[in-house]
Amino acid sequence: MAGVQKLIVLSEQLRGQVFELKDELYTIGRSEKCTICIPDPTISGTHCKVEKDGDSNYLVADMGSTNGTRVNGNRVQSQRLTNSDIVQIGGVELLFESPEKSTTTMLGTKTGILLDQTSSVTATHMSNFSPFGSRSDLPMAGTPTKSKLGVQADHCRPGHRSGCHSGGRAEQDFVT
């Protein structure tokens, strides 16, 4: 096999850190006694191990961790790693990179909408997914509205010539 297999940290704290896998066995955890130490509170002291099998491939195996070990989103006890696998230990994600590109795992989603060519679809209402709630009280863009705009004027007094005879408050109609 040409090249070296690697684990590359994807999560923020150590993003980009590369661990080249050249030995037979690695332990991964929060403890400084581990071969690969990742000081993250979501990782157990000795979280998992990565070891070479007989075919120069690596396996990841959970070592009874609290938060578990996942490969490509699936919780595992032990699994062979292939190129582009995402290993999650606690809250930290690692990319397994292997020079053997032929073993790449393809992940993706497929979403499709089939429409009969003779029918038409018109969107009449779209829900607001904003965390701030619905804004149905606001007009749609491009729709002119007439509203009163109240402006507080400190210099206005009843009977003052500027025309703001509303006790210090001037109102005017505006089209927006």
Side-chain angles (χ1 to χ4, degrees):
M1 168 199 290
V4 176
Q5 294 170 320
K6 305 171 188 173
L7 286 172
I8 303 167
V9 180
L10 300 176
S11 299
E12 274 188 50
Q13 184 181 12
L14 300 171
R15 181 175 289 151
Q17 186 164 352
V18 177
F19 300 100
E20 290 188 350
L21 304 176
K22 297 178 181 177
D23 296 334
E24 296 292 316
L25 175 67
Y26 294 88
T27 54
I28 303 175
R30 195 176 64 236
S31 170
E32 291 182 12
K33 294 179 183 178
C34 290
T35 316
I36 299 175
C37 176
I38 301 176
D40 185 277
T42 63
I43 297 176
S44 296
T46 304
H47 197 100
C48 64
K49 65 181 178 179
V50 175
E51 66 181 325
K52 199 176 273 191
D53 68 8
D55 297 330
S56 298
N57 296 305
Y58 281 95
L59 301 169
V60 64
D62 189 77
M63 296 182 70
S65 66
T66 303
N67 292 321
T69 301
R70 296 178 182 275
V71 176
N72 300 325
N74 300 312
R75 194 169 184 149
V76 298
Q77 288 302 310
S78 179
Q79 181 164 329
R80 181 177 182 216
L81 296 175
T82 59
N83 188 48
S84 300
D85 278 347
I86 303 292
V87 179
Q88 182 180 356
I89 54 174
V92 176
E93 289 185 333
L94 306 161
L95 170 67
F96 177 75
E97 190 174 274
S98 175
E100 290 185 13
K101 302 299 183 193
S102 62
T103 60
T104 299
T105 302
M106 296 300 291
L107 295 177
T109 60
K110 292 183 180 180
T111 303
I113 300 174
L114 298 175
L115 298 175
D116 182 0
Q117 291 185 1
T118 61
S119 64
S120 64
V121 176
T122 305
T124 56
H125 177 71
M126 296 185 72
S127 297
N128 181 3
F129 291 98
S130 169
F132 304 106
S134 175
R135 298 296 308 256
S136 60
D137 58 325
L138 296 177
M140 291 181 60
T143 306
T145 60
K146 188 175 180 181
S147 62
K148 294 261 187 201
L149 177 63
V151 179
Q152 182 71 37
D154 293 334
H155 68 278
C156 290
R157 321 179 269 294
H160 189 260
R161 282 202 205 181
S162 68
C164 54
H165 300 287
S166 58
R169 184 161 179 82
E171 291 185 354
Q172 185 173 358
D173 288 335
F174 286 91
V175 175
T176 56

